[in-house]
Amino acid sequence: MTTEALGTDQEARFEKVTSIHQVLDVEAIWAAETIKERRVLVEELLDTVAAFPDHLEVKASGVPTLNVLYGEVGMKVSENVGVGDTIS
């Protein structure tokens, strides 16, 4: 598969996920689920979550990796970010 075809395939899959998400009331579904059901839903949607000092990398099923800053999801930003950086 060529890079262009791969990009088109990913775009098509992302559009499919987006269209499904538009008709689902995710907040209502989340509120009605038990903790166990929520975990299953998250495990089905996410491939990996990698934690770095300044951000998270979230790989969801069928879409490109998302870089998420801690502050964007209500998490405390590490005070150690930038330690050891040289000042020019």
Side-chain angles (χ1 to χ4, degrees):
M1 182 176 278
T2 67
T3 304
E4 185 176 315
L6 180 61
T8 303
D9 181 53
Q10 286 181 338
E11 289 172 12
R13 290 188 293 166
F14 182 77
E15 290 300 323
K16 182 177 179 182
V17 169
T18 301
S19 66
I20 292 169
H21 183 267
Q22 289 175 348
V23 296
L24 292 176
D25 187 348
V26 177
E27 290 182 18
I29 293 169
W30 191 258
E33 291 181 333
T34 66
I35 297 296
K36 191 173 187 177
E37 290 169 330
R38 288 178 182 178
R39 182 175 183 91
V40 169
L41 179 62
V42 169
E43 287 174 349
E44 289 293 321
L45 294 174
L46 299 180
D47 290 332
T48 61
V49 176
F52 294 91
D54 61 340
H55 72 284
L56 300 170
E57 285 185 3
V58 180
K59 178 67 176 144
S61 301
V63 297
T65 301
L66 301 171
N67 292 315
V68 181
L69 298 174
Y70 288 114
E72 292 178 310
V73 291
M75 295 177 71
K76 183 179 176 187
V77 178
S78 173
E79 295 175 10
N80 296 325
V81 173
V83 172
D85 288 346
T86 55
I87 300 174
S88 311

